[in-house]
């Protein structure tokens, strides 16, 4: 049975930047907030893949529906159960000094 090469996680992209002393402009604050989110996910073993804008049909009022768009960040990592197997396969074979 084959295992998937990656597992994925999709999180909502930040909507606005958090205040920070070192970030003076809205663009700098947003970039700092985005950097913090990317680093948080990386610390959990996730690799940033891409950002997407995706439509979602949502309820609007009592009976109406409206399409709204969500900004999301997509991450991937090797499946956690396969981590040891992937490392084993990537590790070079040990050579016996007696064979040289």
């Amino acid at each position: 049975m084959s295992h998937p090469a990656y597992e994925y996680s999709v999180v909502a992209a930040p909507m606005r930047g958090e205040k920070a002393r070192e970030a003076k402009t809205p663009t700098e604050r947003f970039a700092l907030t985005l950097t913090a989110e990317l680093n948080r996910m990386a610390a959990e073993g996730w690799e940033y893949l891409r950002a997407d804008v995706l439509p979602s049909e949502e309820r609007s009022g009592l009976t109406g529906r409206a399409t709204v768009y969500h900004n999301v960040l997509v991450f991937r990592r090797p499946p956690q159960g396969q981590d040891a197997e992937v490392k084993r396969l990537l590790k070079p074979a040990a050579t016996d000094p007696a064979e040289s």
Side-chain angles (χ1 to χ4, degrees):
M1 178 180 198
S2 69
H3 297 282
Y6 295 101
E7 62 179 325
Y8 294 87
S9 179
V10 178
V11 299
M15 297 290 283
R16 65 178 64 95
E18 300 293 325
K19 288 186 179 182
R21 183 170 294 155
E22 63 272 18
K24 304 294 185 210
T25 67
T27 302
E28 289 174 346
R29 286 191 295 273
F30 183 78
L32 196 61
T33 301
L34 189 56
T35 298
E37 181 63 16
L38 294 175
N39 286 331
R40 183 187 70 78
M41 292 295 288
E44 295 177 18
W46 294 99
E47 172 190 5
Y48 172 73
L49 195 56
R50 67 177 179 268
D52 281 329
V53 179
L54 299 171
S56 174
E57 189 175 284
E58 297 181 2
R59 189 181 298 187
S60 175
L62 292 175
T63 59
R65 309 279 286 158
T67 301
V68 297
Y69 293 86
H70 297 283
N71 297 302
V72 295
L73 305 174
V74 182
F75 296 86
R76 71 179 184 181
R77 69 179 177 191
Q80 295 303 291
Q82 276 190 296
D83 224 17
E85 178 67 8
V86 169
K87 287 179 184 174
R88 184 189 68 76
L89 292 173
L90 295 177
K91 184 177 176 182
T95 57
D96 186 357
E99 292 177 10
S100 300

